[in-house]
Amino acid sequence: MEIVFTDQNFDQEVMKSDKPTLVDFWAPWCGPCQMMGPIVAELAGELGEKAKIGKLNVDENPVTAQTFTVMSIPTIMIFKGGKMVQKLVGVQSKEALREALEKI
Amino acid sequence: MLNAKMDKVYDLIIIGAGPAGLAASVYASRYKLEHLIFGAEAGGQMNEIYDIENWPGDTRISGHDLIARFVSHVENYGVKIKKESVGSVRKNDEGLFVVETSRETYLSRTLILSMGAKARKMNIPGEKEFTGCGVSYCATCDAGFFRDKIVAVVGGGNSAAVVALELVDFAAKVYLVSVEEKLTAEPAWLEKIAASPKIEVIKDTHVLEIKGEGKVEKIVLDKVHEDRTYLSVDGVFIEVGTEPGVELAQKIGVVIDAQNYIYVKEDMSTNVPGCFAAGDITTGSNKFRQVLTAAAEGSIAANGAYKQVKLNQPLTKTI
């Protein structure tokens, strides 16, 4: 299931997560983010418990966006063991995201 | 790959769901062509256009809103855009097009290629390194990160002009750096640029490199500007034109020109019988590459497919 990450829960849900975690940095004003959203949601449904997948609204959660120098959206980051291990800028296909998760 | 879907033969398959593909689908629906339309990103480049002021009927509309109306029109005829990405296209022994996606294989009598184009890269040092860290190809997405910052827009055409004007609402200063001695954007945009105190136009200048520590800090120029050969900026928006996505087209032997655009005749047909092309991917419409010309080409291509499929078949009942 897709999770909504925030400045408040990021440390607990992402940095301290015991499984690979994919974060979709997005904002409502961004056209390509509207395309990315359903792809991420679909992937979350398909992967089930294998990985944690969710989105973070950069407008409402500027602290996390700034911490990871997000200056372009959509940006996808994959975290593992409390570290950012993969960063993908721009719209990604579901296959590309799945592959990126399998690689790490 | 053989599966149940292989038994079914569609009249038309449209690959690409930008304005060309979506307009083709509307026309195909009205021609009662049984068709599919594939597009991982409905709207394509249109999703990134902040402001369209030359779509007749709408004084001002965002690309995202206009494409939503296209999609709704397509869906009104019961057609759903398939988000599967198309991996390959070929012709089988019976002259049918075989379209393989990540999930299925489909057969069709005719094909419209409308995969559009993508932002052209400059291929200069620092561009790739700082993509997502100050280098952007989508102002609609990223303008908000540059509130009260200094940014540069590279390019001199309509897209660059629109992006510069969009950034004015956010940034403290916007440099518009063009290699041309005269900007090629429409006079209506140029007037707005001239009237904006925040925009400084630097003409006849190439950007050679993007530099910074972790994020963009400066761009290096090939000319001196105010005693320096660089500009201190927090962001660079690259708007130097587009490149067509023709990899699929080449797989079925469609002829392309030196810049990779698909050669089309007046009816949007290509050299491959039954295969049409429309929109930014073609040599059509004097390569004007507008939403309007893409949609027009899509409608002509659908008309071509209709003539090929329906008019070549005997009518099943007399009208």
Side-chain angles (χ1 to χ4, degrees), chain B residues 50-104:
Chain B
Y50 174 65
D51 189 13
I52 298 171
E53 296 189 7
N54 55 10
W55 177 255
D58 285 299
T59 318
R60 192 172 180 196
I61 188 165
S62 75
H64 187 255
D65 288 350
L66 183 54
I67 208 68
R69 286 164 50 171
F70 272 56
V71 169
S72 153
H73 198 162
V74 164
E75 290 180 345
N76 187 47
Y77 291 107
V79 175
K80 192 103 182 107
I81 301 161
K82 294 177 96 63
K83 297 206 181 292
E84 302 158 53
S85 53
V86 175
S88 79
V89 183
R90 61 187 167 84
K91 247 188 174 183
N92 68 11
D93 296 341
E94 294 160 4
L96 296 171
F97 292 99
V98 182
V99 176
E100 285 187 21
T101 73
S102 45
R103 286 189 202 152
E104 305 270 3

Side-chain angles (χ1 to χ4, degrees), chain B:
Chain B
M1 193 166 74
L2 281 172
N3 55 38
K5 288 266 165 52
M6 287 290 280
D7 299 328
K8 182 167 180 63
V9 179
Y10 289 91
D11 292 328
L12 166 67
I13 285 180
I14 301 165
I15 306 175
L22 295 169
S25 175
V26 168
Y27 275 73
S29 289
R30 299 185 58 79
Y31 284 131
K32 302 292 177 193
L33 291 177
E34 200 175 352
H35 71 283
L36 295 174
I37 174 165
F38 292 97
E41 307 169 16
Q45 297 174 84
M46 274 183 76
N47 288 293
E48 299 175 6
I49 309 175
Y50 174 65
D51 189 13
I52 298 171
E53 296 189 7
N54 55 10
W55 177 255
D58 285 299
T59 318
R60 192 172 180 196
I61 188 165
S62 75
H64 187 255
D65 288 350
L66 183 54
I67 208 68
R69 286 164 50 171
F70 272 56
V71 169
S72 153
H73 198 162
V74 164
E75 290 180 345
N76 187 47
Y77 291 107
V79 175
K80 192 103 182 107
I81 301 161
K82 294 177 96 63
K83 297 206 181 292
E84 302 158 53
S85 53
V86 175
S88 79
V89 183
R90 61 187 167 84
K91 247 188 174 183
N92 68 11
D93 296 341
E94 294 160 4
L96 296 171
F97 292 99
V98 182
V99 176
E100 285 187 21
T101 73
S102 45
R103 286 189 202 152
E104 305 270 3
T105 300
Y106 303 88
L107 290 176
S108 178
R109 293 182 182 89
T110 59
L111 193 66
I112 294 177
L113 302 172
S114 51
M115 292 87 79
K118 287 196 167 151
R120 180 177 290 148
K121 305 271 193 293
M122 294 181 72
N123 294 319
I124 57 171
E127 182 183 13
K128 196 173 172 194
E129 181 188 347
F130 294 114
T131 294
C133 300
V135 170
S136 172
Y137 302 89
C138 177
T140 315
C141 313
D142 303 336
F145 295 108
F146 298 92
R147 208 171 286 278
D148 303 323
K149 301 275 174 75
I150 299 172
V151 297
V153 178
V154 186
N158 279 338
S159 329
V162 174
V163 164
L165 290 164
E166 176 179 2
L167 286 164
V168 160
D169 292 340
F170 298 87
K173 181 173 179 76
V174 181
Y175 291 105
L176 181 57
V177 186
S178 169
V179 295
E180 311 281 348
E181 281 182 33
K182 205 174 167 197
L183 300 183
T184 55
E186 285 171 12
W189 293 128
L190 295 180
E191 263 180 28
K192 288 190 178 182
I193 284 171
S196 169
K198 281 190 186 175
I199 301 178
E200 180 178 345
V201 180
I202 303 175
K203 295 176 196 167
D204 193 20
T205 300
H206 286 80
V207 176
L208 303 177
E209 188 177 354
I210 299 164
K211 286 184 164 179
E213 290 284 335
K215 59 189 177 69
V216 170
E217 289 169 2
K218 63 173 81 164
I219 55 173
V220 180
L221 310 175
D222 71 339
K223 296 237 169 72
V224 176
H225 176 76
E226 291 176 352
D227 301 330
R228 289 180 182 157
T229 53
Y230 66 86
L231 298 175
S232 294
V233 295
D234 303 292
V236 189
F237 289 80
I238 296 173
E239 296 291 336
V240 292
T242 56
E243 276 173 2
V246 287
E247 297 83 4
L248 267 181
Q250 286 171 302
K251 289 184 182 173
I252 48 167
V254 162
V255 174
I256 55 175
D257 76 356
Q259 282 86 42
N260 287 343
Y261 293 93
I262 299 173
Y263 271 116
V264 284
K265 302 185 191 91
E266 268 189 75
D267 63 353
M268 294 297 131
S269 62
T270 68
N271 59 304
V272 176
C275 177
F276 299 81
D280 283 10
I281 201 169
T282 78
T283 56
S285 303
N286 207 22
K287 289 191 180 173
F288 197 24
R289 295 196 279 277
Q290 304 289 296
V291 177
L292 190 68
T293 55
E297 289 187 19
S299 71
I300 298 167
N303 178 255
Y306 168 66
K307 283 177 178 163
Q308 175 132 354
V309 171
K310 296 287 181 185
L311 303 186
N312 288 342
Q313 280 181 353
L315 289 171
T316 48
K317 72 177 182 189
T318 313
I319 299 170

Side-chain angles (χ1 to χ4, degrees), chain A:
Chain A
M1 232 217 14
E2 195 184 36
I3 299 167
V4 175
F5 300 124
T6 63
D7 281 347
Q8 288 72 39
N9 73 11
F10 200 82
D11 191 53
Q12 194 60 39
E13 291 282 358
V14 179
M15 304 310 279
K16 292 182 179 156
S17 171
D18 56 356
K19 51 182 136 184
T21 304
L22 183 150
V23 184
D24 169 20
F25 291 85
W26 75 290
W29 69 71
C30 150
C33 296
Q34 314 305 320
M35 296 188 280
M36 198 68 249
I39 295 172
V40 169
E42 221 173 283
L43 186 71
E46 288 174 19
L47 289 182
E49 294 300 309
K50 280 190 217 158
K52 200 185 268 191
I53 293 177
K55 56 209 277 187
L56 181 133
N57 181 328
V58 297
D59 213 14
E60 292 169 358
N61 303 283
V63 177
T64 309
Q66 275 166 23
T67 304
F68 293 98
T69 327
V70 174
M71 296 172 84
S72 198
I73 47 173
T75 285
I76 302 280
M77 288 187 194
I78 300 175
F79 293 82
K80 195 179 177 185
K83 281 188 182 150
M84 195 261 285
V85 292
Q86 173 80 276
K87 177 178 172 181
L88 302 160
V89 179
V91 174
Q92 310 292 323
S93 69
K94 195 165 67 181
E95 286 83 6
L97 294 182
R98 192 190 288 275
E99 204 174 296
L101 273 169
E102 278 166 6
K103 264 192 197 161
I104 57 153

